[in-house]
Amino acid sequence: MNMNVDVILGLQWGDEGKGKIVDAIADNYNAIARFQGGPNAGHTIEFDGNKFILHTIPSGIFHRNITNVIGNGVVLDPFIFMKEIEKVQSAGYDPHNNLIISDKANLILPGHRLLDAVCEAALGNRKIGSTLKGIGPAYTEKYQRKGFRTGDIFYDEFEARYKLHREEQLKRAKEIHSSFADVQIDGLPFEEYEEKWMHALDQLREFKIESTEILLNRMLQEGKKILAEGAQGSLLDVDFGSYPFVTSSNTTTGGVCTGLGVPPSSIGKVFGIFKAYCTRVGNGPFPTELHDHMGEELRKNGHEFGSTTGRPRRCGWLDLPALRYTIMINGVTDLVMTKADVLDSLETIEVANTYKSQNHEFMLPEFRLGMSFQPTYLSMKGWQTDITQITEKSDLPEAFLHYFNFIQKELNSKISYVSVGPGRKQIIKTN
Ligand code: GDP
Ligand code: IMO
Ligand code: MG
């Protein structure tokens, strides 16, 4: 078996710029495949003056000759999916031609959206800060073996089974929190939303839905190259992230095999993407978070507002202990640094190199409830130069290269690309 499955995934808390990088290097591959997550993701792509935010559709969709696959590990909401499809179509692309959906991907039902909302309401100030897209409930029911898969929508019993199931979900929602009757989904009362969802389900039937694990393995046998596109980030992984403030899937390399049905021996490069600083949306630990004007400045310079929910992202300095951990878990072969240009104007840049807890120094984080860490910082001189138009490594300012080399050394890994702006062409090959 050749090692023709490369992986791109986020090493922090999501929004590292995965969509941009997938789109920028997509031409090196025959297929781009999402392996986990769902419409909680928001992957932004900018080219030729267009800007798209993809939630479920893989970020290779704007390359007409590339096959895009929604793998079995993804949870798919037909309503959100069809809204995305319409946007892509209105720009002159037709995903009916180059998008294939796994028949084993679980559906996000209207009841999952409702349950997500009431579960969060019931948690009060301990809430996760979910995107409220129904991710947790959809994966929960998948593992309870109660889920509905895309392949099921062609069977006659689908509707009858759905009716029974939604009654059970409504009953559960009522038990969880009294707010259930007031919950609106995308601004609509439950029944109205459900009607629209059903309409989208009919439209979903017109797409290619098949055993994508067979398709992908056939491609591998033919020597074709596949890029697995991660969603969220490694620190949101259900096992290795800052539990319970995580998402409900394995966002790390292990998820590629289970989420696509490709063997571990087929995995080649693992591109680990990180921002030159750090952000997080939603609740949970964030050791290097800045609560002062510097946090504000990073948010302003980096336009750090959620692609999916519009919420302001929490901002802070680069966290090397966290990156050491996620590089280890994922077997990262190549690092990709994004949003380096966001630091262009800063006089001084800080980096957390270790954590301290009760007089002990840690090179790796421990995200356990009750653990409190104090990051120790190193200060570095900023480059104070506009790097957004630079295309060659040799043209990067000396202070930038100092930052770059320091990170490579501390992480014991090479940085293969640096992204210096949101555009498809704003990327520098550095290795
Ligand atoms: P993803 O979820 O990992 O795909 O990332 P998002 O799309 O949620 O967030 C990344 C944001 O940063 C988007 O608005 C991108 O257009 C933008 N972006 C990506 N790379 C760069 C970069 O190198 N510089 C700047 N300034 N913006 C970038
Ligand atoms: P992309 O792919 C950033 C966060 C939510 C919340 C937690 C659980 O764009 O990087 P969920 O809706 O999954 O139950 O929410 O995870 N979260 C993300 N944060 N980027 C994402 O995706 C995210 N997907 C989920 O904010 O804290
Ligand atoms: Mg995002």
Side-chain angles (χ1 to χ4, degrees):
M1 170 69 73
N2 52 43
M3 292 161 70
N4 273 358
V5 180
D6 287 352
V7 182
I8 276 196
L9 43 76
L11 295 179
Q12 296 160 322
W13 279 287
D15 304 326
E16 297 89 349
K18 298 174 291 292
K20 184 240 149 112
I21 302 299
V22 170
D23 172 64
I25 68 167
D27 282 336
N28 301 332
Y29 298 90
N30 302 100
I32 311 290
R34 276 277 304 269
F35 59 93
Q36 47 68 235
N40 47 349
H43 295 182
T44 315
I45 297 175
E46 290 192 32
F47 60 92
D48 301 340
N50 297 306
K51 178 173 169 173
F52 297 93
I53 300 175
L54 298 173
H55 302 287
T56 324
I57 302 174
S59 300
I61 202 69
F62 301 108
H63 300 257
R64 295 181 210 272
N65 299 327
I66 296 178
T67 303
N68 285 263
V69 173
I70 297 178
N72 56 280
V74 171
V75 285
L76 184 146
D77 184 323
F79 179 72
I80 298 178
F81 171 75
M82 281 314 302
K83 279 208 296 197
E84 277 181 82
I85 290 288
E86 280 158 24
K87 284 206 183 114
V88 172
Q89 279 175 330
S90 67
Y93 297 84
D94 191 359
H96 288 92
N97 299 329
N98 64 338
L99 177 68
I100 306 181
I101 303 167
S102 167
D103 58 355
K104 297 171 189 67
N106 271 242
L107 292 173
I108 299 179
L109 308 177
H112 293 141
R113 299 282 304 268
L114 179 65
L115 283 163
D116 211 358
V118 293
C119 286
E120 283 283 80
L123 281 170
N125 61 10
R126 289 180 300 121
K127 71 176 182 195
I128 308 293
S130 153
T131 59
L132 301 178
K133 302 297 176 197
I135 303 295
Y139 277 115
T140 301
E141 290 193 350
K142 169 178 173 174
Y143 289 102
Q144 282 179 320
R145 296 159 293 179
K146 289 181 177 176
F148 288 65
R149 312 207 291 188
T150 56
D152 301 347
I153 66 179
F154 300 101
Y155 292 105
D156 295 340
E157 316 83 280
F158 182 88
E159 221 172 303
R161 212 187 120 208
Y162 173 78
K163 277 193 182 135
L164 279 177
H165 192 73
R166 72 151 343 234
E167 289 313 310
E168 193 190 313
Q169 287 181 322
L170 288 174
K171 196 167 143 246
R172 217 163 347 119
K174 194 173 175 180
E175 283 162 10
I176 294 170
H177 202 259
S178 56
S179 68
F180 94 102
D182 305 325
V183 170
Q184 297 230 324
I185 308 175
D186 288 354
L188 298 171
F190 181 79
E191 269 90 10
E192 266 179 59
Y193 174 80
E194 193 180 33
E195 223 169 276
K196 290 193 183 291
W197 186 91
M198 282 294 179
H199 177 63
L201 194 71
D202 286 337
Q203 294 173 304
L204 182 64
R205 291 194 178 92
E206 286 155 28
F207 282 83
K208 290 179 195 148
I209 297 180
E210 60 179 67
S211 300
T212 49
E213 69 281 18
I214 296 177
L215 168 83
L216 291 170
N217 279 284
R218 196 180 301 135
M219 289 181 85
L220 287 176
Q221 275 162 12
E222 290 166 1
K224 296 199 168 133
K225 293 206 71 177
I226 297 164
L227 181 63
E229 174 181 358
Q232 290 79 57
S234 304
L235 297 172
L236 290 170
D237 182 279
V238 68
D239 285 290
F240 305 109
S242 46
Y243 194 88
F245 298 99
V246 293
T247 191
S248 299
S249 64
N250 281 117
T251 59
T252 43
T253 310
V256 174
C257 297
T258 54
L260 293 177
V262 295
S265 54
S266 67
I267 307 283
K269 287 186 179 179
V270 178
F271 292 98
I273 307 196
F274 69 101
K275 279 183 202 183
Y277 50 101
C278 210
T279 64
R280 170 162 208 173
V281 237
N283 297 330
F286 182 177
T288 63
E289 182 169 12
L290 289 160
H291 298 280
D292 57 7
H293 71 280
M294 188 49 78
E296 274 300 327
E297 192 164 338
L298 289 175
R299 187 172 309 115
K300 185 169 76 47
N301 293 353
H303 307 290
E304 295 295 356
F305 295 88
S307 310
T308 298
T309 57
R311 291 179 290 179
R313 293 177 182 147
R314 298 156 66 192
C315 297
W317 295 121
L318 189 65
D319 182 336
L320 295 181
L323 285 179
R324 283 187 197 102
Y325 181 73
T326 53
I327 288 170
M328 173 184 82
I329 296 293
N330 289 303
V332 169
T333 60
D334 296 70
L335 288 169
V336 180
M337 187 202 283
T338 59
K339 305 194 87 162
D341 55 297
V342 171
L343 307 182
D344 275 358
S345 61
L346 304 190
E347 221 171 290
T348 317
I349 296 166
E350 301 205 33
V351 190
N353 195 26
T354 58
Y355 288 166
K356 269 206 169 119
S357 178
Q358 293 165 346
N359 288 332
H360 290 290
E361 202 163 34
F362 296 84
M363 297 300 276
L364 294 170
E366 294 258 358
F367 289 114
R368 229 177 301 146
L369 283 179
M371 295 286 278
S372 96
F373 284 104
Q374 207 45 49
T376 53
Y377 291 100
L378 283 167
S379 278
M380 262 172 248
K381 208 167 143 303
W383 43 94
Q384 297 190 281
T385 311
D386 178 350
I387 61 169
T388 57
Q389 306 308 318
I390 294 179
T391 53
E392 297 293 331
K393 185 182 176 192
S394 52
D395 293 333
L396 285 162
E398 206 180 307
F400 176 87
L401 290 172
H402 179 70
Y403 187 62
F404 174 98
N405 288 330
F406 173 78
I407 294 167
Q408 289 200 128
K409 185 173 133 279
E410 284 300 322
L411 299 178
N412 196 22
S413 305
K414 64 174 192 281
I415 302 174
S416 293
Y417 294 98
V418 173
S419 173
V420 291
R424 188 183 264 176
K425 299 206 170 107
Q426 289 175 295
I427 187 163
I428 306 172
K429 196 158 180 0
T430 48
N431 195 282

